[in-house]
Amino acid sequence: MNIDIVIVGGGPAGLAAAAAAKKAGAERILILERDKELGGILNQCIHNGFGLHTFKEELTGPEYAQRFIDQVEELQIEYKLHTMVMDISPDKDVTAMNREDGVFQIQAKAVILAMGCRERPRGALNIPGYRPAGIFSAGTAQRLVNIEGYMPGKRVVILGSGDIGLIMARRMTLEGAKVEVVAELMPYSGGLKRNIVQCLDDFGIPLLLSHTVVDIEGKDRVQAVTIAQVGPDRRPVPGTEKRFECDTLLLSCGLIPENELSLSAGITLSGVTNGPVVSDALETDREGIFACGNVLHVHDLVDFVSEEAAKAGRSAAAYVSGKSLKQGKAVKIIPEGGARYTVPVEVYPESCDDLVTVRFRAGNIYKDAFVSVYFDDEQISHVRKRIIAPGEMEQVVLQKKKLLEKPGLQNIRICIETDEGGR
């Protein structure tokens, strides 16, 4: 089976990439989705707050997903559900399987990776104690409550203040549960400020920063959880333990891009994001294989996922049409001074778009700081930010015409600076 573009994943990234690729002129596009329906994780995100950037209105997760599903249907883009992609070779040979077709192979001209991310499991957290019933990841609890109609418990402790954990604190409260506390290992929350306000503050749920779980009691079912403060080395401080009786512990301790298929394709991954290293066209270091959405790096807003995925779709369509996406010399993009990473990591001035969006996250909280961009040692921009937090993505926009004005440019440095003078 020969296909122009195979898209792995039918969530928000895959749908937006498919629609953009089709509009850009790609003919045969196939979405492969392992679930029973399109939409991905948005199907269980029944809270509102989606779509403010993309559609200029507030939508629930399923409503937002349906907007893109409708586009895919209208554009007559093919998709296969209940289909698991088993392998992607470096030359874009995709091996997949489902009940109807068995194991089958597709030779694609281009591949777009849009597999999303998964939650970090308990085994990766080194939490001591027994392993009784009542311990769930926050995403699993969200699916149980919102789709399966099952309440995981009535007295809840949440470890981790990522957005899913914050949203589930509110959701469990609205369903009649008592959320005792949200504990966070880091000295700052990993979620959006608006979620801290709307999901915790509005319901009187305490957030304990620099705290972690040090013991879980109960053999058949969780009976209590002990939380302790941690020091700068993130080790528990003796004498700071607090015991909370509960029947449920939800874990919201970070998201990990689903990149097993990326590894099988021989794609280089970032040591910071665990997602592929990409150029300004969102092309990986395997020619013709692109990545977007949470498989590339974990986003805060789905609107940015859609925007990024549309870029990947247009790039894949251009690649299939024979256009070179890496003309001339690459300029490296380097994060410095508190910026942990950048997506993309390089830009090709001769072939890039007129405007190139570079996204990054901070490694700490900065107040009254500046986001600065340097072309080699020349400062190009210096923008004051009232607050920069790890839970919210930052971005800078590079202009092609300014890049072309510097033919000898070696590096673009993106820095967080805490004063006028320097980093």
Side-chain angles (χ1 to χ4, degrees), residues 7 20 43 56 105 207 324 328 347 384:
I7 298 173
N43 291 324
K56 309 304 179 190
Q105 288 190 313
L207 171 62
S324 173
V347 59
R384 181 186 288 275

Side-chain angles (χ1 to χ4, degrees), residues 295-326:
V295 80
L296 180 55
H297 61 130
V298 177
H299 292 62
D300 50 359
L301 299 179
V302 73
D303 300 76
F304 295 150
V305 167
S306 301
E307 182 183 312
E308 185 178 271
K311 169 59 183 171
R314 292 191 296 270
S315 295
Y319 175 82
V320 168
S321 73
K323 181 181 177 183
S324 173
L325 301 174
K326 294 181 176 179

Side-chain angles (χ1 to χ4, degrees), residues 171 181 345 404:
R171 189 78 182 101
V181 67
V345 300
L404 292 175

